[in-house]
Amino acid sequence: MTLMYAVLFISIGFAVMEFSGWFIHKYIMHGPLWNIHKTHHEPSKSFFELNDLFSLLFGSIAIVLIFLGVAKLDYRFWIGIGISFYGILYFIIHDVLVHRRVKWFERPKNSFLLGIFRAHQAHHATNKKNDAVSFGLFIVPKKYFKR
């Protein structure tokens, strides 16, 4: 097992989460599973939202892959690590920086993080199922990075 092998499959796990996350967010969460996801577009009455079930699902996939691949440290282990890394960054950027569910940081000043912040604000400009824009976390339209 080489370091390059690990980095490759961690990167694949991370990238798969961004692209599948975009697809799932746009076509499933804002589609047939809107009744679960809409709790994220409404004012929250508690710390947890029904929408948090999606994080449990993605986290479970990562745990299963890590568990299946840990004995040989094969591709499943490293893809699970990549998904986990994505999940950690998702929590920090989405839940902490953007939605401030945990108040650790102030509004971002870094231009990349500020672009992500603006894109997510645009996504939440509506609480309607079909009117939302910008469904990715890291890959967002360039217009949100312009001042």
Side-chain angles (χ1 to χ4, degrees):
M1 186 73 49
T2 67
L3 177 61
M4 288 302 292
Y5 178 87
V7 169
L8 170 68
F9 284 106
I10 289 170
S11 300
I12 288 171
F14 190 94
V16 163
M17 279 306 298
E18 178 65 12
F19 290 107
S20 65
W22 178 92
F23 180 87
I24 291 165
H25 189 185
K26 182 169 180 150
Y27 295 107
I28 309 238
M29 292 177 182
H30 281 260
L33 296 182
W34 173 248
N35 283 335
I36 295 171
H37 183 62
K38 75 178 178 182
T39 63
H40 182 60
H41 286 263
E42 298 170 341
S44 184
K45 297 173 184 81
S46 70
F47 182 78
F48 293 105
E49 305 166 347
L50 189 56
N51 184 71
D52 293 332
L53 291 174
F54 292 113
S55 295
L56 291 175
L57 171 66
F58 295 134
S60 298
I61 292 168
I63 289 168
V64 167
L65 286 169
I66 290 168
F67 179 74
L68 291 174
V70 71
K72 296 180 182 176
L73 291 182
D74 65 15
Y75 69 96
R76 296 170 295 186
F77 176 81
W78 297 113
I79 289 173
I81 295 296
I83 292 170
S84 298
F85 183 56
Y86 183 91
I88 291 166
L89 288 177
Y90 182 92
F91 173 76
I92 292 168
I93 291 171
H94 180 265
D95 293 332
V96 176
L97 272 176
V98 175
H99 288 290
R100 305 203 23 88
R101 288 173 76 177
V102 181
K103 292 173 178 56
W104 290 340
F105 309 110
E106 295 300 318
R107 187 173 185 224
K109 292 172 182 42
N110 170 286
S111 61
F112 179 72
L113 293 176
L114 194 54
I116 290 172
F117 184 84
R118 288 180 186 134
H120 205 76
Q121 283 184 316
H123 179 76
H124 281 274
T126 182
N127 60 0
K128 303 263 190 292
K129 176 181 176 179
N130 297 318
D131 294 341
V133 297
S134 189
F135 295 90
L137 180 65
F138 293 104
I139 300 174
V140 298
K142 290 179 185 179
K143 67 182 179 182
Y144 297 111
F145 297 101
K146 296 177 181 168
R147 291 200 171 249

